[in-house]
């Protein structure tokens, strides 16, 4: 489907370029009866807004979400929810070299190779602004999940080499620092590292962790649409993500079966696992433990140093990228990871309602059960 | 679609349980005119066959592929290709505890939670035998890719803590050791490690690397169906995979932009990159360099030690898994990774044919160009 | 998806050519817990079997269904159900002119134009035998629907110019005549007409009607996946069908609003309509009345008369089709229409389970309602 | 996908309610390089605009299309094309009885049954205004088809009992009468009939015919996604359509094979058919002749007479629908049929590009052919 639609039952279609008139998303398949307002969406959008700290671009982006369809008297109606965000910063300006050369680490070259030409203004469709539609959809999904007792939370786990060990997580500190790290002391160290990056006209990568709690067991479709496989696609489809892990992830590749297996036990008739190396997923289905995933985010490719590259006419040249760019993408990508995870879980939760004939009887003919 | 179908244009549907009558795959959307025989498929299946070394199960599985439809006079016809592999080892036997308890690290518990009951014989649909259909489909995809000058090759990069550094790869040694490692000396060390695992009634994880060469630039659909996102889903959907990386992957999260960006340059009118930290993908589309991905595989969950667990009646118990099990899944999973990568790339290559109006004119009305 | 997969949640993939080794279907997304045996499928297949009367081909086709996966201890497990039917009549023979020319009214020419060549043996994938997979899937869908109190029944409404007026329907006579007509007297007239066709080396068309009862209101997705639109596609995808109507259909185009509208009324708290011109569908969703659809089936294109045509080398020629062919397709297509309607209704019924947030709460957290 | 997305490669997602803020469509998968302006879309929208004659509602709807994304410097970029049309007539007013009762022939009752409640303002999502998004998408598809030498044209064939025989078609008169009929004399008779309907506070149905010329042979996917099956779904998904025919359609059900088969012949190396009973489709694929389809449109359900119905509280009542309503939907639906046909043909044309391995070689490695 040319890749702008994601999801089978809870299905989102995003559109828009960074310097076009607007950007938006259509959410199809949201169940009817969910209370939803523009404020629900705005609170998510505000988390990815630039200008929140010295480590995010100073561009002014007052992204205001407008719901154009799909709600009535404060509730979703079951029909598609169209959300639009007007682009404010559309003034035409001189794109200079950006227009005529390929920025290293960006999608300029690959867009030209695929389509024959590209909208060179600010990255066009490959701009980070593309994620606005995802975040708006994620806000709706997260609202729906909360109605079912499920929460999705992401945060920054590491920036460059500064990584918070799990045992030092302090979740209540996440909102206390501009890097969204669950430990203020590590956040301070990361800030110092980022300042040194900026001085060196350089940028940094990092990792984001996302936890999903309250999931019933059995969500995810065996074989190709496994919960972990679907999450992997969802999160890897975010521009700068280069790696994804579930539970112990790459560490499991170095582990032994005797320590990697999570023993089950029962207490008061409920099922638990003594450990959670699996990250809450077994055989591609949720196992009732918290779901844990981590994403590796590459350093911002836009740096102020001179870089070697080529022109669109295939001649060697150098380019220096000017303008306002985040030295690290991670803090603003936190809410994008959360959004994509929420949309994915929602879609699989909807798909799972028909896994048993009994569920159909409950809904369509309770008297026949 | 309940998760047994994968792909949009080159679409595969797998079916079958480990101890049912047979296992198979239907491939829909394979272009007409591709020379294809059962030998093409058999050579792929033989690579995942057990009994190839002391590190793979001694179960006898003489999986023979039969093509039931979709070819005529040695060529694909464009209609669905149905491939069936009869299960030989179907004798009914005593499944004992396996039937009544949940094996740690397996999908027993999650299957019961999702569907209300499960086919407990040998793992049913969550068995490793489910991958046979994938491998058969991968053989067809790989054959098609070779016609277009594209090759997909996977191998074992690490087992437990024994990891081959990239600079010591010797690709011609891959077929010389039973672990499919590109360095015989490392393979010897890994063999010794696996023997110690077996002595300890334990198992090991490892990593698989896959390289795709010959890809034209621009393949992959921006936004949700990015090449890397699609590969991530494809490979993460393989049972034991817990992590996936593209190019530098998690190392990119610790890197700086100045070193992580790959400078472009031109030589004799052709475009190259000085480095390949991106793993051949920019903005979700192939950039003309080799595509590099790595998968983390968890240790075999079936180990001969006693493990704590619960019964299906939700009572605490212990279980010792008997029978013939691989101490490491990695070597047999190599061809599965290769297969899933081949299917994914083929599907996106097909989708990309309509990216430009000019391509449509070339095919439908060359006289109008 | 190259067109061999149908359905979103209850999804069927058919494969196989008329003279290949076998023909079959994979059903993915069937809810777990449905009692299912090979007899359930066989009884549907027997209804499309040839040799049931003098108006169906004398070819011997003892199509036996084998279930290869997806059931355990007599119930569906939720995993894909693979059903295979071996082709018995595979002896190689001289296809003579059929191989080198295009039969009028058949898909020979269009297959060659699309794929560059074709499996010319007996029609290949465009043979009527392709419908075997559909009928097997329809048997599963119909079984599931009966569990929910829904029935799907089709019958022959007309053959050539002999059409039974609705007021003369006698449903209990359908099984009493080989044409599956709900009136033995009309069936007798139709038989006489068919005999005259056969004497003239000619064939006849006809219409099939299908009624679905017990449907809850609200099934069908507004806009593109309307219940009527989905049924139209499903039934029109059967080889010889050239038209489809819902309710009054083409007669509604000649009607006035005052007579075409169905007035609602209530009795004992239940909702009824005084008439059913709508055929049980309003706004693309079931309205609680019986669903009524009619399909127009063209005359069998294989006739024993000499016909003008061209060779594959684009030279004018004549062809006379020999062999055993039905003078009318309609009676054997009745069960195919029933099967496609059952699959379609099942899929939309599954999709509808997530139309309301309340349904999700009922299934996932009844304590929160 | 909850039914608001249509198409696999050329994929359209519509959104919006009649009395919401706006209505629109997102087109994903349009090939890059197609010249496209807002005027291209406006000219299609103007054809469905009310107020063009005394037989269309006097509501003022100055629907202006705005392209928000997907074009750059006058050409499509390959990224999603978002088109929005603001609703002008949004003033809140007294919906009175409409709010509390179910209008016969409308989707009020089925919406409530499906979702638990509905946006009762002017029909909400089931309003005729929903088709605006389809028409905008159809304008883009039609533009693309013209680049490939393919034209799609629809017109009114009959209104009530007044039907133009094919031999009296005068295509150049279509634009000369407000009913879009290819014969001014018949249009005059139809006008008189419609005036009598209006006097009787009644409405009329009719039929629309659509012709597609210039299609290459072989377009359409065998089995489920046949060209005729796809067209049937596309056209039947338009609100008021109750029947669909291809070629001779229901007349073929009364015909004999000897007259219904179209003989092939060759002239100057090109393939023709002596007749076109098949309507340009054989085996679900285009056969090179013009494609002919007809749709039956029911009478406008909104009539000014008193009708029996029930309240949302399930009590018997009567309703009289006031306001401005078309006595016949047909003339305004002509462009909607054309749009849906254009979108369908475009999607299948895109899908067909990968039917042959040779096409892939032509695009990806012409040097290897």
């Amino acid at each position: 489907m040319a890749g702008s639609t994601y999801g089978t039952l809870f299905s989102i279609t995003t559109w828009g370029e960074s310097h076009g008139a607007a950007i938006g998303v259509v959410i199809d398949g949201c169940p009817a009866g969910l209370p939803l307002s523009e404020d629900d969406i705005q609170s998510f959008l505000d988390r990815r807004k630039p200008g929140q700290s010295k480590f995010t671009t100073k561009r002014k982006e007052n992204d205001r979400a407008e719901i154009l369809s799909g709600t009535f008297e404060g509730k979703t109606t079951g029909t598609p929810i169209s959300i639009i965000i007007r682009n404010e910063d559309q003034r035409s300006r001189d794109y200079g070299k950006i227009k005529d050369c390929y920025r290293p680490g960006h999608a300029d070259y690959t867009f030209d190779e695929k389509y024959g030409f590209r909208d060179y203004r600010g990255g066009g469709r490959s701009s980070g602004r593309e994620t606005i539609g995802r975040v708006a959809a994620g806000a709706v999904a997260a609202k729906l999940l909360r109605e079912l007792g499920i929460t999705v939370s992401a945060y920054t786990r590491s920036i460059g080499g500064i990584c918070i060990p799990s045992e030092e997580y302090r979740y209540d500190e996440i909102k206390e620092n501009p890097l969204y790290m669950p430990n203020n002391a590590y956040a301070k160290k990361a800030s110092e590292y980022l300042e040194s990056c900026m001085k060196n006209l350089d940028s940094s990568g990092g990792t984001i962790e996302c936890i999903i709690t309250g999931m019933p067991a059995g969500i995810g479709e065996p074989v190709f649409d496994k919960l972990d496989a679907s999450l992997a696609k969802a999160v890897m489809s975010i521009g700068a993500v280069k790696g994804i892990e579930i539970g112990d992830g790459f560490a499991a590749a170095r582990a032994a079966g005797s320590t990697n297996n999570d023993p089950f036990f029962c207490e008061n008739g409920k099922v638990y696992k003594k450990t959670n190396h699996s990250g809450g997923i077994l055989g591609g289905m949720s196992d009732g433990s918290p779901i844990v995933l981590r994403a590796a985010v590459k350093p911002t490719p836009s740096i102020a140093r001179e870089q070697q590259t080529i022109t669109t006419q295939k001649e060697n040249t150098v380019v220096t990228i000017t303008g306002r760019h985040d030295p690290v993408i991670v803090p603003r990508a936190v809410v994008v990871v959360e959004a994509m995870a929420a949309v994915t879980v929602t879609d699989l939760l909807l798909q799972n309602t028909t896994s048993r004939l009994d569920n159909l009887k409950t809904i369509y003919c309770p008297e026949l059960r």
Side-chain angles (χ1 to χ4, degrees), chain A:
Chain A
M1 291 214 199
S4 296
T5 296
Y6 176 72
T8 298
L9 290 185
F10 187 90
S11 163
I12 71 173
T13 301
T14 66
W15 55 270
E17 283 81 44
S18 57
H19 286 63
I23 225 156
V25 64
V26 182
I27 303 161
D28 199 21
C30 184
L34 176 71
L36 186 73
S37 72
E38 289 174 351
D39 287 347
D40 292 319
I41 291 150
Q42 197 61 45
S43 66
F44 264 64
L45 289 185
D46 288 347
R47 289 169 60 197
R48 74 163 290 292
K49 211 165 60 171
Q52 301 171 82
S53 79
K54 57 188 161 189
F55 307 123
T56 57
T57 170
K58 271 86 201 167
R59 281 195 310 273
K60 223 177 114 200
E61 297 182 0
N62 282 318
D63 300 322
R64 301 300 311 173
E66 187 186 359
I67 298 178
L68 296 175
S69 69
T71 62
F72 184 58
E73 297 180 345
K75 289 190 172 179
T76 59
T77 57
T79 60
I81 303 166
S82 176
I83 302 171
I84 190 173
I85 295 96
R86 289 271 164 188
N87 287 329
E88 298 189 340
D89 188 6
Q90 284 179 258
R91 65 208 150 128
S92 114
R93 57 178 174 98
D94 181 15
Y95 288 91
K97 273 213 103 163
I98 305 305
K99 175 182 171 183
D100 300 319
C101 81
Y102 298 129
R103 291 169 296 165
H106 278 279
D108 301 344
Y109 173 65
T110 50
F111 257 91
D112 265 15
E113 287 292 305
K114 186 177 193 76
Y115 297 114
F117 74 114
R118 73 184 196 280
D119 179 347
Y120 50 74
R121 299 167 303 163
R125 183 76 176 140
S126 67
S127 158
R129 283 189 69 75
E130 176 267 324
T131 61
I132 290 177
R134 301 174 183 235
V135 171
V140 178
K143 185 102 200 258
L144 188 152
L145 291 175
R146 279 197 301 276
E147 294 270 336
L148 303 173
I150 299 167
T151 62
V152 183
S153 340
Y155 43 84
T156 302
R157 178 180 158 88
S158 73
I159 284 181
I162 294 129
C163 180
I164 317 176
S166 306
E167 57 276 16
E168 296 191 40
Y169 283 171
R170 292 176 202 147
Y171 293 111
D172 48 353
E173 296 184 6
I174 293 172
K175 292 186 179 171
E176 296 175 11
N177 65 77
L179 299 176
Y180 293 107
M181 294 182 92
N183 184 309
N184 287 334
Y186 280 85
K188 193 161 174 292
K189 274 190 264 182
S191 295
E192 289 160 9
Y193 172 67
L194 287 174
E195 280 178 28
S196 73
C197 288
M198 290 167 83
K199 265 181 215 146
N200 292 329
L201 308 181
D202 214 336
S203 62
S204 173
T207 59
I208 295 170
E209 194 164 83
C210 183
I211 310 281
I212 306 165
T213 62
M215 281 282 282
I219 306 304
E221 299 300 314
V223 189
F224 298 117
D225 293 344
K226 288 185 163 87
L227 177 52
D228 39 4
S230 301
L231 285 168
K233 179 173 185 178
V235 173
M236 192 73 102
S237 77
I238 302 169
V241 174
K242 299 299 284 184
I244 175 104
E245 300 183 306
I246 302 291
D248 282 7
F250 277 86
R254 295 184 295 272
S258 58
T259 52
N260 189 66
N261 284 348
D262 301 312
F264 289 105
F265 69 100
C266 271
E267 222 167 71
N268 301 325
K270 296 194 80 176
V271 175
Y272 300 93
K273 286 158 48 199
K274 297 210 171 179
T275 50
N276 190 20
H277 300 291
S278 77
I281 301 176
L282 282 173
M285 292 169 277
S286 55
D287 66 14
S289 304
I291 288 160
V292 183
L293 71 85
R294 267 177 306 282
V297 179
K298 74 174 184 179
T300 321
S302 290
I303 52 175
R305 290 193 199 188
E306 186 179 280
Q307 299 181 82
Q308 282 192 290
T309 192
I310 55 171
T311 66
T312 56
Q313 298 309 309
K314 309 286 155 75
E315 288 168 348
N316 292 313
T317 185
V318 292
V319 66
T320 305
I321 297 161
T322 55
R324 303 151 297 178
H325 296 283
D326 299 7
V328 69
I329 294 161
V330 172
R332 294 179 60 201
V334 161
V335 70
V336 186
V337 169
E338 203 175 295
M340 290 306 296
V343 168
T344 302
V345 163
T346 301
D347 190 31
L348 288 170
L349 210 74
L350 265 60
Q351 287 187 52
N352 183 66
T353 53
T354 59
S355 61
R356 300 184 187 197
L357 181 58
D358 268 0
N359 287 355
L360 294 177
K361 288 186 180 170
T362 300
I363 287 174
Y364 291 120
C365 41
E367 72 287 359
L368 292 184
R369 287 202 68 189

